[in-house]
C-alpha cells in the first residue's frame, strides 16, 4: 500500500480514528494510581509517579502516541530482550542455549536461583540470564562491546539512546545482588571473563533512556521480522526474532507470565522503570510507560492498559483472525472507473477531469482492529485528495465492534470536513452498525450517486429537458444535409416507465436515439432476477447492434421514466445506405468510434481494477 506522509497533507495524527481510540483509552486509565515506585534503585524512587504514555507502531511504519509522549525513562529490564537478541546474533541459537535456558523460573526476576541440572540461568528475561547474555556480547574491549550494544538499540528504535548517568551510578552503587549472581555464575562456569566489565555493561544497558515510542518501535521491529519498519534497517535475523519472541512470550513478564498470556496473549517484556514492550507478530508493536509497579515488578497501569487493548482490539495471539487476507482488496478513483451510466461526452469529460474526487475502498475478509487501523488511516490520508468516499463491504465476512468504532470515527471525521461517505453492502446487518450512512447494494449505484453530485457541482448535472438530435454527441460529424437525411428515416417513439424497448435475445433491428427520459439496460442470467448494468441518459444512443448484422440482443432495455426516442429501423437504415450513402457512412463511422471509445474505457478500467 502506498504510504502518505500526514505532514504533507496538513493532517494531524490526532485526526486518525486509532489515535482518538487510544486517547480514550488513556483518559480511561489515567485515574488508576495503584502500585508503588521501584525503591531498590534509589534514583527510580525519585521519578514523577503520574507520568503515563502509550504508543503503537505498525509494521508499515506508522506510530501513534498519546499521553506524556516526551517523557524519558530508563529502559531497565526491557533491554533484556534486545541484549538476548544480540547474543543470538553473535553466537547462534545452540551456543546461547548452552549458556542460558528458556524455561520460566517461577521466581522473582532478581532471585538467586539457577537451573542446576543444566548449569545455566533459567532464561534471559530474569537478572541471572540477562547478566549471562551481557557476558556473551562480543567486542575487542569494553568500549567496543558497549558501542555494539548502543548500535543494536539504534537499529531497533531508529535513534541513538542516551545514558541516564544518575541511574547508572545508582545501579552500580546498589547492585550488590546482581554482583552476587554474576560471581556465582562465574564460579559455576556459566560465564567467563571480567565480571565487573560484564556487570558494567548490564548496568549501562538498563540505564538507557527511552520513550514509550521507542518501546513500541522495538516491538514493531520484532513484529516486522527483525526489520525496523521506519528506517528499514535490519536489527536481527528473522530466525533470531522467533527465538526472542518465544522467550518473551513465556518469561517476559516476571512471575506474572502465565497470567499475562491468559489475559493479554502477546510476547512482552516489562521493566521496573515502568515500561512495557509488547508484540503482535506481523502487525504491531506496543509501548507503555507508567512507573508505579505492582507486587511482581510490572507497571500496574501498563498491565491494565494492555489487558484492555488486547480485549478491545482482539489482539490475543490465539484470537481467530480468519484467513489473514489484507483488508484493502483494491482502492481506485472514479476518473479511472466510471459508473456504468451512459452519459453525454461533456459529462464523461468532466468525470475524467474531476472523478479523482470520488474514492472507492474495496474491503475483504475479516475486519478487526489491525485491519480497521490500516483502512481508516488510508481513508484519512486521502482526506485532502478526495471529496466522496465509498466503502465497499460486500466481500467482508465479519466485522467486530472495535472495527466498527474506528470506521464510525473515520466517517465522523469525513462528515466534519464536509465530505460525502457511503457504505456498500449486500448484508442488511452491516450498514445498521454504522452511523447515519448512505447505503447502496452495489458499488456502481454508489458511484453513480456521487458522480451525479459531482456533476451538479461542476454545472453539468442531469436534466429532464429534451435533447435535439442536432446536439447528440454521436452525430457531431454529420453536416446539415446528412442530418436531414437521417431525420427523414426516424420515427418517434413515446414510452412510459416500465416499457420494454428491447428484449434480450430478440433480433437486433432498431437503433434508438434517446431524446428525453432515461432507460435501464438489464441482463437476465437463467432464472435469476434481472440485473441492471447501466442507465442511458438523453442525448445518447442504444441498440447499436442493429448496424452490425443480425446478432441477438444481449440485454433488456426498459424505460426508467417516461420519455421519447427516435428509432431507425433496419428498413430505414437500408434506405439511408442506398439513397444517402454519405450520411450512412458517417453514422456507421460515428457508432464505430463510439464503441471504440467504450472499449478504451473498459480496458482502462480493467487495468485500474487489476492493480
Amino acid at each position: 500500500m502506498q504510504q502518505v506522509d500526514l505532514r504533507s497533507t496538513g493532517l494531524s495524527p490526532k485526526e486518525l480514528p486509532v489515535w482518538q481510540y487510544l486517547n480514550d483509552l488513556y483518559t480511561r486509565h489515567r485515574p488508576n494510581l495503584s502500585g508503588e515506585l521501584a525503591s531498590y534503585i534509589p534514583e527510580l524512587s525519585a521519578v514523577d509517579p503520574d507520568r503515563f504514555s502509550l504508543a503503537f507502531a505498525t509494521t508499515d511504519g506508522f506510530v501513534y502516541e498519546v499521553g506524556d509522549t516526551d517523557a524519558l525513562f530508563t529502559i531497565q529490564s526491557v533491554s533484556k530482550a534486545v541484549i538476548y537478541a544480540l547474543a543470538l546474533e553473535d553466537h547462534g541459537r545452540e551456543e546461547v542455549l548452552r549458556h542460558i535456558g528458556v524455561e520460566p523460573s517461577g521466581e522473582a526476576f532478581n532471585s538467586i536461583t539457577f537451573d542446576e541440572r543444566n548449569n545455566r540461568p533459567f532464561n534471559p528475561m530474569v537478572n541471572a540470564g540477562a547478566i549471562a547474555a551481557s557476558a556473551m556480547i562480543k567486542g575487542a574491549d569494553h568500549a567496543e562491546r558497549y558501542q555494539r550494544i548502543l548500535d543494536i538499540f539504534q537499529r531497533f528504535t531508529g535513534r541513538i539512546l542516551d545514558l541516564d548517568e544518575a541511574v547508572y551510578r545508582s545501579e552500580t552503587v546498589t547492585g550488590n545482588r546482581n554482583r552476587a549472581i554474576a560471581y556465582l555464575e562465574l564460579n559455576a562456569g556459566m560465564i567467563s571473563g571480567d565480571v565487573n566489565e560484564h556487570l558494567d555493561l548490564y548496568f549501562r544497558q538498563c540505564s538507557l533512556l527511552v520513550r514509550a515510542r521507542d518501546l513500541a518501535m522495538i516491538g514493531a521491529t520484532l513484529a516486522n521480522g527483525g526489520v525496523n519498519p521506519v528506517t528499514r534497517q535490519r536489527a536481527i535475523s528473522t530466525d533470531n526474532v522467533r527465538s526472542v519472541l518465544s522467550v518473551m512470550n513465556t518469561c517476559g513478564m516476571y512471575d506474572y507470565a502465565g497470567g499475562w498470556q491468559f489475559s493479554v496473549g502477546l510476547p512482552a517484556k516489562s521493566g521496573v522503570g515502568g515500561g512495557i514492550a509488547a508484540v503482535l507478530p506481523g502487525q504491531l508493536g506496543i509501548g507503555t510507560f507508567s512507573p508505579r509497579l505492582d507486587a511482581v515488578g510490572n507497571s500496574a497501569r501498563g498491565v491494565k492498559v494492555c489487558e484492555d487493548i488486547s480485549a478491545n482490539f482482539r489482539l490475543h495471539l490465539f484470537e481467530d483472525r480468519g484467513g489473514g487476507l489484507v483488508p484493502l482488496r483494491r482502492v481506485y478513483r472514479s476518473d479511472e472507473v466510471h459508473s456504468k451510466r451512459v452519459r453525454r461526452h461533456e459529462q464523461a469529460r468532466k468525470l475524467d477531469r474531476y472523478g479523482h474526487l470520488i474514492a472507492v475502498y474495496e474491503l475483504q475478509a475479516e475486519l478487526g482492529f489491525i485491519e480497521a487501523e490500516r483502512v481508516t488511516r488510508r481513508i484519512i490520508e486521502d482526506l485532502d485528495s478526495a471529496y466522496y468516499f465509498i466503502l465497499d463491504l460486500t466481500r467482508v465476512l465479519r466485522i467486530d465492534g472495535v472495527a466498527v468504532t474506528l470506521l464510525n470515527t473515520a466517517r465522523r471525521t469525513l462528515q466534519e470536513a464536509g465530505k460525502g461517505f457511503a457504505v456498500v453492502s449486500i448484508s442488511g446487518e452491516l450498514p445498521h452498525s454504522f452511523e447515519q450512512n448512505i447505503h447502496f447494494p452495489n458499488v456502481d449505484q454508489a458511484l453513480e450517486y456521487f458522480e451525479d453530485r459531482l456533476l451538479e457541482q461542476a454545472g453539468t448535472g442531469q436534466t429532464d429537458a429534451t435533447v435535439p438530435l442536432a446536439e447528440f454527441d454521436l452525430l457531431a460529424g454529420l453536416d446539415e444535409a446528412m442530418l436531414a437525411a437521417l431525420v427523414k428515416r426516424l420515427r418517434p417513439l413515446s414510452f412510459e416507465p416500465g416499457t420494454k424497448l428491447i428484449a434480450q435475445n430478440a433480433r437486433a433491428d432498431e437503433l434508438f436515439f434517446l431524446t428525453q427520459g432515461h432507460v435501464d439496460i438489464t441482463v437476465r442470467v437463467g432464472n435469476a432476477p434481472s440485473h441492471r448494468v447501466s442507465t442511458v441518459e438523453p442525448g445518447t444512443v442504444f441498440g447499436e447492434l442493429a448496424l452490425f448484422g443480425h446478432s441477438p440482443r444481449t440485454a433488456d432495455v426498459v424505460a426508467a421514466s417516461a420519455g421519447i426516442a427516435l428509432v431507425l429501423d433496419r428498413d430505414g437504415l437500408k434506405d439511408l445506405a442506398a439513397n444517402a450513402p454519405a450520411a450512412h457512412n458517417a453514422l456507421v463511422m460515428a457508432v464505430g468510434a463510439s464503441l471504440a471509445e467504450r472499449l478504451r474505457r473498459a480496458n482502462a478500467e480493467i487495468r485500474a481494477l487489476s492493480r
Side-chain angles (χ1 to χ4, degrees):
M1 185 192 308
Q2 182 182 6
Q3 295 303 306
V4 179
D5 187 340
L6 289 181
R7 291 171 295 184
S8 68
T9 67
L11 290 171
S12 164
K14 295 181 180 181
E15 296 182 63
L16 294 169
V18 169
W19 186 93
Q20 295 175 46
Y21 200 95
L22 279 182
N23 193 54
D24 290 342
L25 190 73
Y26 169 82
T27 302
R28 188 162 65 250
H29 284 274
R30 187 168 177 78
N32 179 5
L33 302 180
S34 62
E36 303 292 337
L37 294 175
S39 59
Y40 74 98
I41 300 174
E43 282 294 323
L44 295 185
S45 64
V47 302
D48 182 349
D50 295 327
R51 289 291 183 93
F52 179 30
S53 55
L54 309 174
F56 277 8
T58 65
T59 52
D60 62 350
F62 198 85
V63 179
Y64 300 89
E65 301 175 272
V66 295
D68 300 313
T69 56
D70 291 330
L72 287 165
F73 55 96
T74 52
I75 192 169
Q76 296 298 327
S77 287
V78 180
S79 67
K80 294 172 181 175
V82 176
I83 299 304
Y84 181 57
L86 182 54
L88 290 167
E89 292 287 299
D90 280 354
H91 298 278
R93 182 173 178 269
E94 294 306 318
E95 180 63 16
V96 173
L97 194 59
R98 282 201 320 110
H99 293 274
I100 308 169
V102 293
E103 298 295 336
S105 68
E107 302 287 345
F109 66 92
N110 60 352
S111 64
I112 306 178
T113 56
F114 303 96
D115 177 0
E116 295 182 2
R117 184 174 61 181
N118 294 295
N119 194 41
R120 62 188 182 185
F122 279 101
N123 66 75
M125 301 296 135
V126 294
N127 289 10
I131 292 169
S134 297
M136 297 187 74
I137 303 307
K138 290 182 176 181
D141 53 26
H142 177 273
E144 182 178 327
R145 295 174 71 199
Y146 180 50
Q147 186 58 53
R148 294 188 67 240
I149 288 174
L150 293 177
D151 290 345
I152 195 169
F153 275 106
Q154 182 178 2
R155 294 197 297 274
F156 267 98
T157 64
R159 71 181 188 91
I160 299 172
L161 301 185
D162 294 322
L163 182 72
D164 188 318
E165 293 283 355
V167 172
Y168 163 65
R169 287 193 299 270
S170 184
E171 294 224 27
T172 302
V173 170
T174 62
N176 293 324
R177 189 178 185 88
N178 287 323
R179 288 188 179 88
I181 292 172
Y183 276 104
L184 284 171
E185 289 178 331
L186 179 67
N187 183 66
M190 298 178 194
I191 65 173
S192 60
D194 188 333
V195 170
N196 289 325
E197 185 175 298
H198 301 333
L199 285 167
D200 186 73
L201 291 177
Y202 176 72
F203 294 145
R204 286 177 180 273
Q205 78 188 42
C206 291
S207 302
L208 294 174
L209 287 167
V210 291
R211 298 181 176 89
R213 176 192 182 101
D214 298 316
L215 300 188
M217 286 305 305
I218 290 172
T221 299
L222 291 169
N224 197 40
V227 175
N228 185 302
V230 173
T231 67
R232 308 306 304 166
Q233 185 179 15
R234 178 165 288 282
I236 60 172
S237 70
T238 303
D239 287 343
N240 286 335
V241 167
R242 185 185 68 177
S243 299
V244 173
L245 290 179
S246 296
V247 178
M248 289 174 67
N249 198 45
T250 56
C251 310
M253 297 298 289
Y254 302 137
D255 44 344
Y256 178 61
W260 172 271
Q261 279 307 308
F262 187 78
S263 58
V264 179
L266 297 174
K269 187 69 195 84
S270 62
V272 294
I276 297 176
V279 184
L280 179 60
Q283 304 289 347
L284 185 71
I286 300 171
T288 71
F289 167 58
S290 180
R292 289 189 174 94
L293 308 180
D294 60 22
V296 298
N298 296 318
S299 170
R301 186 156 48 185
V303 168
K304 293 301 181 183
V305 166
C306 290
E307 289 176 351
D308 207 347
I309 290 171
S310 179
N312 288 338
F313 294 170
R314 297 176 59 234
L315 299 186
H316 198 289
L317 276 179
F318 300 126
E319 185 76 48
D320 178 13
R321 294 186 180 85
L325 294 174
V326 293
L328 278 167
R329 178 174 184 265
R330 195 155 45 206
V331 178
Y332 57 89
R333 301 294 179 100
S334 186
D335 59 337
E336 303 171 303
V337 180
H338 291 186
S339 74
K340 298 302 184 288
R341 193 177 190 95
V342 180
R343 301 182 186 274
R344 300 189 67 188
H345 286 184
E346 180 185 6
Q347 292 180 325
R349 286 193 296 268
K350 291 286 188 183
L351 292 177
D352 287 340
R353 182 175 180 183
Y354 298 114
H356 66 278
L357 296 173
I358 303 173
V360 179
Y361 305 84
E362 290 186 7
L363 310 188
Q364 65 181 358
E366 301 188 1
L367 297 185
F369 163 72
I370 294 297
E371 296 78 15
E373 185 276 329
R374 298 286 197 274
V375 172
T376 55
R377 173 149 51 95
R378 176 59 187 269
I379 289 173
I380 301 304
E381 285 170 352
D382 292 343
L383 190 63
D384 283 352
S385 63
Y387 196 84
Y388 298 111
F389 296 77
I390 299 171
L391 202 63
D392 180 8
L393 304 177
T394 55
R395 295 175 181 83
V396 172
L397 303 177
R398 184 178 71 178
I399 180 169
D400 69 15
V402 70
V404 171
T405 298
L406 295 182
L407 292 171
N408 277 333
T409 303
R411 185 208 57 77
R412 287 194 296 272
T413 299
L414 296 177
Q415 186 179 44
E416 290 166 2
K419 311 290 185 171
F421 177 78
V423 172
V424 174
S425 172
I426 58 175
S427 166
E429 297 178 2
L430 285 177
H432 297 308
S433 303
F434 290 84
E435 304 167 356
Q436 303 173 3
N437 64 79
I438 304 170
H439 174 228
F440 296 94
N442 57 65
V443 170
D444 187 65
Q445 289 187 26
L447 275 172
E448 182 178 316
Y449 175 82
F450 283 133
E451 284 175 353
D452 289 344
R453 307 289 82 73
L454 195 61
L455 290 171
E456 288 172 4
Q457 291 176 292
T460 55
Q462 297 183 41
T463 176
D464 294 328
T466 299
V467 178
L469 200 65
E471 295 181 11
F472 274 55
D473 298 315
L474 184 74
L475 304 178
L478 277 67
D479 59 25
E480 290 186 12
M482 296 176 183
L483 191 60
L486 175 62
V487 169
K488 287 181 182 179
R489 293 161 177 86
L490 298 177
R491 61 177 175 83
L493 172 66
S494 298
F495 52 81
E496 296 299 321
T499 303
K500 183 176 288 188
L501 303 175
I502 290 177
Q504 187 172 337
N505 297 320
R507 175 176 166 172
D509 55 10
E510 292 179 319
L511 177 64
F512 295 79
F513 297 83
L514 186 62
T515 62
Q516 188 176 352
H518 300 84
V519 299
D520 289 334
I521 300 175
T522 63
V523 174
R524 289 175 284 109
V525 179
N527 295 323
S530 295
H531 172 68
R532 187 192 76 117
V533 295
S534 68
T535 297
V536 179
E537 294 193 347
T540 56
V541 177
F542 60 91
E544 296 95 332
L545 281 177
L547 297 181
F548 302 102
H550 301 280
S551 301
R553 296 293 192 183
T554 58
D556 291 329
V557 178
V558 180
S561 68
I564 299 172
L566 300 176
V567 183
L568 178 64
D569 59 25
R570 183 162 296 279
D571 291 338
L573 185 62
K574 289 179 179 179
D575 186 55
L576 186 68
N579 297 300
H584 176 270
N585 292 340
L587 177 62
V588 171
M589 290 294 291
V591 170
S594 175
L595 293 176
E597 172 62 14
R598 290 192 203 176
L599 182 61
R600 182 195 68 78
R601 287 188 179 276
N603 288 335
E605 290 183 7
I606 290 172
R607 286 194 296 271
L609 295 175
S610 299
R611 288 202 299 267

